[in-house]
Amino acid sequence: MTSTPALPSRTEVAVVGAGPTGLALAVTLAEAGVDFVLLDRQAEGANTSRAAVVHARTLEVFDELDPSGALSADLVARGIPVSRFRIRDGARPLAAVDFDGLPTAHPYALMVPQYETEAVLLGRLRALGVDVHRPHEVTSATQDADGVTLTTAAGETLRAAYAVGADGMHSTVRTAAGIGFTGSAYDESFVLADVVMDWAPGPSEVSLAFGAAGLTVIAPLPGAGAEGAGRRYRIVATVAEAPSSPDLPFVRALLAERLRGEARVHDLVWSSRFRIHHRVADRYRAGRLLLAGDAAHVHSPAGGQGMNTGIQDGHALGRALAAGDLDAYEARRRPVALRVVALTDRMTRVATARGRTLRALRNTLLPALARIPAFRNGLARELAELDYR
Ligand SMILES: Cc1cc2nc3c(=O)[nH]c(=O)nc-3n(C[C@H](O)[C@H](O)[C@H](O)COP(=O)(O)OP(=O)(O)OC[C@H]3O[C@@H](n4cnc5c(N)ncnc54)[C@H](O)[C@@H]3O)c2cc1C
């Protein structure tokens, strides 16, 4: 277990949850000289790969957190920059979305496991002289005219002027604030798998393959297989049914059915299956309680927006807390979540369209649209989250 500093009894801002959102918020507060406590119920940070893509706008936020550029350079060095998303029908290319013309210092999508992104943010926080307080599970948050009192499972209390729920989808802070989480769940399950394989199109692009059985995303990850055989890829697939930890034969069969002959899977590194919801918190603030990241919005992983939106929330909220302009935070960031939920929902529904006629229409329309530069560039800008500067 990591040894962490004792929990103080008072602070200005209590940040509940040290995932990517809480870490980005904490770094922003530390840079601004705001007194805060960051706590997490886990004894250690998670080491699973989860969100695998960091978009251009998030790398710009890293540059705002460290204008020397060293922070974004550290992350970029741990990943693979990819300049193209290729949309396919099965293995057949339909359209491409290019990032290399984007007006940003980072004209690419960076493929990198979530634990690396968290490690880079934590490294920056520690360099600023602050660490995460672990393991402290917040069980209640009550507010009065002067502040918020958080109580932990061990019975300790922390008094703060403000408390932020960066505590994920099942947020305790959101429940304590009485804020609704409006939306519903998709019918399909999503399978995630990091595999070592040979993939005919190669590691220079991300593929989003449509198919009657569902959407399959194939994206390169850093790292090779044993003795250099194959390389690492992230698979995300919508499925009607799957075991909770899909095994190697399951993933092989799935790719053999959907991408005939294109993928030869050697090894399974990590896998998970989960139901996805699309929900947005009705408000981002109730008095002294605030929400950010998955506590405020969840959606389909199509396009890899979840963690990116959370990091950007954390940064925006840190600035709003430092400036004392909290209403601006909700006004700026909630519309972004609504737009991201709508975009990922559209992508998921187009990709999983059922019925031969609908799919044929889609496969005709999409290549035609993708030949229009304004459509192509608009989609790239939206995926890179550059419209949310
Ligand atoms: C299996 C899996 C696969 C995913 N794949 C993708 C993907 O491919 N692409 C993508 O964009 N996103 C993906 N996501 C989502 C992505 O991981 C999240 O969007 C991102 O982690 C959100 O960050 P967050 O900091 O807001 O919340 P989280 O990462 O959930 O962090 C919340 C933190 O709060 C802590 N916490 C919770 N409750 C309490 C409490 N009561 N007291 C103290 N601490 C608490 C938790 O321990 C945790 O560390 C995936 C998620 C999972 C689980």
Side-chain angles (χ1 to χ4, degrees):
M1 185 189 294
T2 322
S3 117
T4 66
L7 196 63
S9 57
R10 281 185 177 274
T11 187
E12 180 66 16
V13 181
V15 181
V16 184
T21 303
L23 288 167
L25 169 58
V27 173
T28 310
L29 292 173
E31 298 275 7
V34 176
D35 179 57
F36 70 93
V37 167
L38 172 61
L39 52 126
D40 199 286
R41 67 179 172 196
Q42 301 291 341
E44 289 176 25
N47 58 4
T48 51
S49 85
R50 293 167 294 152
V53 54
V54 174
H55 284 296
R57 177 60 199 142
T58 305
L59 288 164
E60 291 182 351
V61 164
F62 273 53
D63 288 337
E64 287 167 32
L65 292 173
D66 177 7
S68 78
L71 199 65
S72 63
D74 184 0
L75 188 58
V76 172
R78 296 170 190 237
I80 304 179
V82 170
S83 59
R84 172 169 281 185
F85 276 20
R86 174 91 66 185
I87 299 169
R88 300 169 184 276
D89 180 37
R92 183 169 64 94
L94 282 183
V97 180
D98 291 318
F99 297 102
D100 51 5
L102 287 175
T104 169
H106 302 283
Y108 46 82
L110 182 71
M111 299 306 308
V112 63
Q114 183 167 331
Y115 59 79
E116 296 281 15
T117 305
E118 293 182 8
V120 169
L121 286 169
L122 182 60
R124 179 71 181 163
L125 190 63
R126 287 182 172 156
L128 293 164
V130 190
D131 210 336
V132 186
H133 296 260
R134 303 174 176 276
H136 299 287
E137 178 173 6
V138 171
T139 51
S140 77
T142 52
Q143 54 175 325
D144 52 55
D146 304 321
V148 180
T149 303
L150 299 181
T151 307
T152 71
E156 290 178 89
T157 57
L158 172 63
R159 182 83 178 154
Y162 295 98
V164 177
D167 49 348
M169 178 176 172
H170 304 287
S171 170
T172 302
V173 175
R174 191 185 61 235
T175 307
I179 297 176
F181 204 30
T182 303
S184 56
Y186 287 104
D187 293 337
E188 302 92 350
S189 288
F190 284 72
V191 162
L192 250 83
D194 290 357
V195 299
V196 176
M197 70 177 187
D198 295 314
W199 163 238
S204 61
E205 54 187 40
V206 171
S207 291
L208 289 90
F210 299 165
L215 168 70
T216 314
V217 180
I218 302 104
L221 285 177
E227 291 151 23
R231 60 168 304 127
R232 211 174 268 212
Y233 288 88
R234 156 64 59 88
I235 312 290
V236 184
T238 59
V239 292
E241 274 180 49
S244 60
S245 297
D247 59 9
L248 183 57
F250 181 92
V251 176
R252 277 189 175 141
L254 183 111
L255 295 185
E257 181 201 335
R258 297 186 180 191
L259 303 161
R260 244 159 274 138
E262 301 285 305
R264 203 157 67 85
V265 186
H266 302 293
D267 199 8
L268 178 69
V269 183
W270 174 78
S271 76
S272 176
R273 175 217 64 194
F274 54 105
R275 284 293 295 283
I276 304 269
H277 297 245
H278 45 102
R279 295 180 188 277
V280 178
D282 296 343
R283 286 173 296 149
Y284 276 23
R285 178 183 180 192
R288 295 173 174 279
L289 300 175
L290 295 131
L291 301 177
D294 274 19
H297 46 76
V298 289
H299 41 78
S300 153
Q305 309 285 291
M307 181 187 71
N308 290 273
T309 312
I311 289 174
Q312 291 164 44
D313 284 350
H315 183 237
L317 180 53
R319 288 193 156 179
L321 280 160
D325 188 9
L326 288 179
D327 289 332
Y329 166 65
E330 167 163 341
R332 245 190 87 199
R333 295 303 302 173
R334 193 167 176 278
V336 169
L338 292 170
R339 229 169 114 172
V340 168
V341 170
L343 170 73
T344 55
D345 187 56
R346 252 188 339 264
M347 287 173 65
T348 306
R349 291 190 195 286
V350 167
T352 56
R354 296 217 169 91
R356 199 181 285 266
T357 320
L358 214 54
R359 287 205 309 275
L361 189 67
R362 173 196 69 194
N363 292 356
T364 311
L365 270 180
L366 205 66
L369 280 171
R371 279 194 286 276
I372 304 169
F375 174 84
R376 233 177 26 235
N377 298 339
L379 190 54
R381 246 194 358 262
E382 184 123 14
L383 284 169
E385 303 205 350
L386 289 179
D387 288 347
Y388 311 144
R389 277 177 176 136

mmCIF file of all heavy atoms in Angstrom, residues 12-15 25 28-29 32 34 36 161-164 288 290 314-326 329:
data_model
loop_
_atom_site.group_PDB
_atom_site.id
_atom_site.type_symbol
_atom_site.label_atom_id
_atom_site.label_comp_id
_atom_site.label_asym_id
_atom_site.label_seq_id
_atom_site.Cartn_x
_atom_site.Cartn_y
_atom_site.Cartn_z
ATOM 1 N N GLU A 12 -9.433 24.462 1.594
ATOM 2 C CA GLU A 12 -10.314 25.348 0.813
ATOM 3 C C GLU A 12 -11.180 24.496 -0.136
ATOM 4 O O GLU A 12 -12.392 24.616 -0.173
ATOM 5 C CB GLU A 12 -9.435 26.339 0.018
ATOM 6 C CG GLU A 12 -10.170 27.337 -0.837
ATOM 7 C CD GLU A 12 -11.008 28.339 -0.025
ATOM 8 O OE1 GLU A 12 -10.803 28.472 1.187
ATOM 9 O OE2 GLU A 12 -11.900 28.957 -0.637
ATOM 10 N N VAL A 13 -10.520 23.598 -0.892
ATOM 11 C CA VAL A 13 -11.251 22.769 -1.867
ATOM 12 C C VAL A 13 -10.944 21.296 -1.599
ATOM 13 O O VAL A 13 -9.768 20.893 -1.618
ATOM 14 C CB VAL A 13 -10.841 23.114 -3.327
ATOM 15 C CG1 VAL A 13 -11.626 22.260 -4.310
ATOM 16 C CG2 VAL A 13 -11.052 24.602 -3.622
ATOM 17 N N ALA A 14 -11.977 20.500 -1.365
ATOM 18 C CA ALA A 14 -11.788 19.050 -1.218
ATOM 19 C C ALA A 14 -12.133 18.406 -2.554
ATOM 20 O O ALA A 14 -13.227 18.628 -3.091
ATOM 21 C CB ALA A 14 -12.703 18.508 -0.128
ATOM 22 N N VAL A 15 -11.190 17.649 -3.111
ATOM 23 C CA VAL A 15 -11.415 16.985 -4.399
ATOM 24 C C VAL A 15 -11.566 15.492 -4.130
ATOM 25 O O VAL A 15 -10.620 14.841 -3.672
ATOM 26 C CB VAL A 15 -10.249 17.243 -5.378
ATOM 27 C CG1 VAL A 15 -10.524 16.575 -6.718
ATOM 28 C CG2 VAL A 15 -10.001 18.746 -5.557
ATOM 29 N N LEU A 25 -7.624 18.560 -12.154
ATOM 30 C CA LEU A 25 -8.113 19.648 -11.301
ATOM 31 C C LEU A 25 -7.056 20.001 -10.250
ATOM 32 O O LEU A 25 -6.748 21.180 -10.019
ATOM 33 C CB LEU A 25 -9.428 19.211 -10.636
ATOM 34 C CG LEU A 25 -9.970 20.084 -9.517
ATOM 35 C CD1 LEU A 25 -10.217 21.510 -9.981
ATOM 36 C CD2 LEU A 25 -11.277 19.499 -8.973
ATOM 37 N N THR A 28 -4.150 21.931 -11.636
ATOM 38 C CA THR A 28 -4.552 23.317 -11.932
ATOM 39 C C THR A 28 -4.610 24.138 -10.641
ATOM 40 O O THR A 28 -4.129 25.279 -10.600
ATOM 41 C CB THR A 28 -5.935 23.330 -12.631
ATOM 42 O OG1 THR A 28 -5.898 22.402 -13.717
ATOM 43 C CG2 THR A 28 -6.277 24.707 -13.170
ATOM 44 N N LEU A 29 -5.178 23.553 -9.568
ATOM 45 C CA LEU A 29 -5.264 24.270 -8.292
ATOM 46 C C LEU A 29 -3.871 24.504 -7.700
ATOM 47 O O LEU A 29 -3.583 25.579 -7.167
ATOM 48 C CB LEU A 29 -6.126 23.476 -7.299
ATOM 49 C CG LEU A 29 -7.623 23.385 -7.636
ATOM 50 C CD1 LEU A 29 -8.331 22.424 -6.667
ATOM 51 C CD2 LEU A 29 -8.289 24.760 -7.591
ATOM 52 N N ALA A 32 -2.206 27.289 -9.368
ATOM 53 C CA ALA A 32 -2.808 28.591 -9.040
ATOM 54 C C ALA A 32 -2.606 28.955 -7.564
ATOM 55 O O ALA A 32 -3.044 30.015 -7.132
ATOM 56 C CB ALA A 32 -4.301 28.559 -9.371
ATOM 57 N N VAL A 34 -4.001 27.486 -4.934
ATOM 58 C CA VAL A 34 -5.206 27.306 -4.117
ATOM 59 C C VAL A 34 -4.985 26.119 -3.170
ATOM 60 O O VAL A 34 -4.483 25.072 -3.596
ATOM 61 C CB VAL A 34 -6.443 27.032 -5.015
ATOM 62 C CG1 VAL A 34 -7.679 26.756 -4.171
ATOM 63 C CG2 VAL A 34 -6.687 28.194 -5.970
ATOM 64 N N PHE A 36 -5.862 22.864 -1.303
ATOM 65 C CA PHE A 36 -6.839 21.794 -1.581
ATOM 66 C C PHE A 36 -6.342 20.476 -0.999
ATOM 67 O O PHE A 36 -5.156 20.326 -0.680
ATOM 68 C CB PHE A 36 -7.062 21.635 -3.100
ATOM 69 C CG PHE A 36 -5.885 21.068 -3.814
ATOM 70 C CD1 PHE A 36 -5.769 19.699 -4.046
ATOM 71 C CD2 PHE A 36 -4.855 21.898 -4.242
ATOM 72 C CE1 PHE A 36 -4.662 19.171 -4.690
ATOM 73 C CE2 PHE A 36 -3.739 21.380 -4.888
ATOM 74 C CZ PHE A 36 -3.644 20.013 -5.112
ATOM 75 N N ALA A 161 -14.333 24.742 1.996
ATOM 76 C CA ALA A 161 -15.247 25.768 1.475
ATOM 77 C C ALA A 161 -16.059 25.180 0.312
ATOM 78 O O ALA A 161 -17.242 25.483 0.153
ATOM 79 C CB ALA A 161 -14.458 26.990 1.025
ATOM 80 N N TYR A 162 -15.398 24.340 -0.495
ATOM 81 C CA TYR A 162 -16.074 23.681 -1.631
ATOM 82 C C TYR A 162 -15.621 22.225 -1.705
ATOM 83 O O TYR A 162 -14.483 21.907 -1.349
ATOM 84 C CB TYR A 162 -15.700 24.358 -2.962
ATOM 85 C CG TYR A 162 -16.196 25.775 -3.046
ATOM 86 C CD1 TYR A 162 -15.337 26.843 -2.757
ATOM 87 C CD2 TYR A 162 -17.516 26.045 -3.379
ATOM 88 C CE1 TYR A 162 -15.791 28.149 -2.813
ATOM 89 C CE2 TYR A 162 -17.979 27.360 -3.435
ATOM 90 C CZ TYR A 162 -17.119 28.397 -3.151
ATOM 91 O OH TYR A 162 -17.578 29.687 -3.198
ATOM 92 N N ALA A 163 -16.504 21.354 -2.194
ATOM 93 C CA ALA A 163 -16.105 19.967 -2.461
ATOM 94 C C ALA A 163 -16.473 19.623 -3.896
ATOM 95 O O ALA A 163 -17.553 19.990 -4.384
ATOM 96 C CB ALA A 163 -16.801 19.007 -1.494
ATOM 97 N N VAL A 164 -15.544 18.930 -4.566
ATOM 98 C CA VAL A 164 -15.761 18.544 -5.968
ATOM 99 C C VAL A 164 -15.907 17.030 -6.056
ATOM 100 O O VAL A 164 -15.064 16.288 -5.540
ATOM 101 C CB VAL A 164 -14.564 18.982 -6.851
ATOM 102 C CG1 VAL A 164 -14.776 18.512 -8.291
ATOM 103 C CG2 VAL A 164 -14.376 20.495 -6.796
ATOM 104 N N ARG A 288 -22.225 24.524 -2.648
ATOM 105 C CA ARG A 288 -20.770 24.354 -2.497
ATOM 106 C C ARG A 288 -20.275 23.017 -3.042
ATOM 107 O O ARG A 288 -19.110 22.667 -2.875
ATOM 108 C CB ARG A 288 -20.402 24.497 -1.013
ATOM 109 C CG ARG A 288 -20.669 25.901 -0.502
ATOM 110 C CD ARG A 288 -20.472 26.023 0.982
ATOM 111 N NE ARG A 288 -20.605 27.414 1.394
ATOM 112 C CZ ARG A 288 -19.641 28.332 1.290
ATOM 113 N NH1 ARG A 288 -18.457 27.985 0.830
ATOM 114 N NH2 ARG A 288 -19.853 29.565 1.674
ATOM 115 N N LEU A 290 -19.679 20.571 -6.317
ATOM 116 C CA LEU A 290 -19.498 20.682 -7.774
ATOM 117 C C LEU A 290 -19.161 19.315 -8.361
ATOM 118 O O LEU A 290 -18.643 18.438 -7.651
ATOM 119 C CB LEU A 290 -18.341 21.648 -8.058
ATOM 120 C CG LEU A 290 -18.635 23.078 -7.605
ATOM 121 C CD1 LEU A 290 -17.487 23.623 -6.787
ATOM 122 C CD2 LEU A 290 -18.932 23.953 -8.796
ATOM 123 N N GLY A 314 -11.789 19.217 -15.418
ATOM 124 C CA GLY A 314 -10.953 19.427 -14.230
ATOM 125 C C GLY A 314 -10.164 20.722 -14.347
ATOM 126 O O GLY A 314 -10.095 21.526 -13.404
ATOM 127 N N HIS A 315 -9.600 20.944 -15.530
ATOM 128 C CA HIS A 315 -8.798 22.146 -15.767
ATOM 129 C C HIS A 315 -9.683 23.397 -15.686
ATOM 130 O O HIS A 315 -9.332 24.390 -15.029
ATOM 131 C CB HIS A 315 -8.138 22.011 -17.143
ATOM 132 C CG HIS A 315 -7.243 23.144 -17.480
ATOM 133 N ND1 HIS A 315 -7.403 23.906 -18.610
ATOM 134 C CD2 HIS A 315 -6.176 23.658 -16.849
ATOM 135 C CE1 HIS A 315 -6.472 24.836 -18.648
ATOM 136 N NE2 HIS A 315 -5.708 24.714 -17.598
ATOM 137 N N ALA A 316 -10.865 23.349 -16.347
ATOM 138 C CA ALA A 316 -11.769 24.508 -16.354
ATOM 139 C C ALA A 316 -12.270 24.807 -14.941
ATOM 140 O O ALA A 316 -12.355 25.976 -14.533
ATOM 141 C CB ALA A 316 -12.949 24.244 -17.292
ATOM 142 N N LEU A 317 -12.570 23.757 -14.177
ATOM 143 C CA LEU A 317 -13.073 23.966 -12.816
ATOM 144 C C LEU A 317 -11.978 24.531 -11.914
ATOM 145 O O LEU A 317 -12.237 25.406 -11.082
ATOM 146 C CB LEU A 317 -13.628 22.648 -12.250
ATOM 147 C CG LEU A 317 -14.184 22.704 -10.830
ATOM 148 C CD1 LEU A 317 -15.225 23.815 -10.676
ATOM 149 C CD2 LEU A 317 -14.806 21.365 -10.438
ATOM 150 N N GLY A 318 -10.750 24.053 -12.082
ATOM 151 C CA GLY A 318 -9.621 24.587 -11.301
ATOM 152 C C GLY A 318 -9.470 26.079 -11.542
ATOM 153 O O GLY A 318 -9.297 26.866 -10.600
ATOM 154 N N ARG A 319 -9.582 26.480 -12.802
ATOM 155 C CA ARG A 319 -9.447 27.906 -13.125
ATOM 156 C C ARG A 319 -10.609 28.706 -12.540
ATOM 157 O O ARG A 319 -10.414 29.806 -12.031
ATOM 158 C CB ARG A 319 -9.422 28.088 -14.634
ATOM 159 C CG ARG A 319 -8.109 27.596 -15.208
ATOM 160 C CD ARG A 319 -7.958 28.048 -16.630
ATOM 161 N NE ARG A 319 -6.546 28.098 -16.984
ATOM 162 C CZ ARG A 319 -6.099 28.437 -18.171
ATOM 163 N NH1 ARG A 319 -6.941 28.772 -19.120
ATOM 164 N NH2 ARG A 319 -4.809 28.452 -18.417
ATOM 165 N N ALA A 320 -11.833 28.122 -12.626
ATOM 166 C CA ALA A 320 -13.012 28.829 -12.110
ATOM 167 C C ALA A 320 -12.907 28.981 -10.589
ATOM 168 O O ALA A 320 -13.244 30.036 -10.043
ATOM 169 C CB ALA A 320 -14.280 28.073 -12.489
ATOM 170 N N LEU A 321 -12.428 27.942 -9.894
ATOM 171 C CA LEU A 321 -12.273 28.025 -8.435
ATOM 172 C C LEU A 321 -11.214 29.070 -8.082
ATOM 173 O O LEU A 321 -11.392 29.860 -7.150
ATOM 174 C CB LEU A 321 -11.870 26.651 -7.870
ATOM 175 C CG LEU A 321 -13.026 25.651 -7.702
ATOM 176 C CD1 LEU A 321 -12.512 24.215 -7.618
ATOM 177 C CD2 LEU A 321 -13.869 25.986 -6.461
ATOM 178 N N ALA A 322 -10.127 29.100 -8.840
ATOM 179 C CA ALA A 322 -9.058 30.073 -8.562
ATOM 180 C C ALA A 322 -9.554 31.497 -8.811
ATOM 181 O O ALA A 322 -9.167 32.426 -8.110
ATOM 182 C CB ALA A 322 -7.835 29.762 -9.424
ATOM 183 N N ALA A 323 -10.445 31.650 -9.802
ATOM 184 C CA ALA A 323 -10.929 32.994 -10.162
ATOM 185 C C ALA A 323 -12.194 33.371 -9.388
ATOM 186 O O ALA A 323 -12.672 34.499 -9.508
ATOM 187 C CB ALA A 323 -11.202 33.057 -11.662
ATOM 188 N N GLY A 324 -12.777 32.403 -8.632
ATOM 189 C CA GLY A 324 -14.016 32.671 -7.903
ATOM 190 C C GLY A 324 -15.200 32.882 -8.836
ATOM 191 O O GLY A 324 -16.112 33.634 -8.524
ATOM 192 N N ASP A 325 -15.192 32.206 -9.984
ATOM 193 C CA ASP A 325 -16.262 32.403 -10.968
ATOM 194 C C ASP A 325 -16.912 31.051 -11.278
ATOM 195 O O ASP A 325 -16.809 30.511 -12.378
ATOM 196 C CB ASP A 325 -15.636 33.005 -12.244
ATOM 197 C CG ASP A 325 -16.698 33.431 -13.240
ATOM 198 O OD1 ASP A 325 -17.888 33.423 -12.870
ATOM 199 O OD2 ASP A 325 -16.336 33.770 -14.375
ATOM 200 N N LEU A 326 -17.630 30.514 -10.258
ATOM 201 C CA LEU A 326 -18.102 29.132 -10.377
ATOM 202 C C LEU A 326 -19.250 28.946 -11.358
ATOM 203 O O LEU A 326 -19.365 27.881 -11.979
ATOM 204 C CB LEU A 326 -18.507 28.615 -8.999
ATOM 205 C CG LEU A 326 -17.291 28.365 -8.105
ATOM 206 C CD1 LEU A 326 -17.715 27.881 -6.747
ATOM 207 C CD2 LEU A 326 -16.362 27.350 -8.756
ATOM 208 N N TYR A 329 -18.278 28.003 -14.821
ATOM 209 C CA TYR A 329 -17.860 26.612 -15.047
ATOM 210 C C TYR A 329 -19.001 25.792 -15.644
ATOM 211 O O TYR A 329 -18.849 25.172 -16.697
ATOM 212 C CB TYR A 329 -17.356 26.002 -13.732
ATOM 213 C CG TYR A 329 -17.226 24.490 -13.799
ATOM 214 C CD1 TYR A 329 -16.299 23.889 -14.647
ATOM 215 C CD2 TYR A 329 -18.053 23.665 -13.038
ATOM 216 C CE1 TYR A 329 -16.201 22.500 -14.730
ATOM 217 C CE2 TYR A 329 -17.965 22.287 -13.112
ATOM 218 C CZ TYR A 329 -17.037 21.717 -13.961
ATOM 219 O OH TYR A 329 -16.956 20.351 -14.052
#
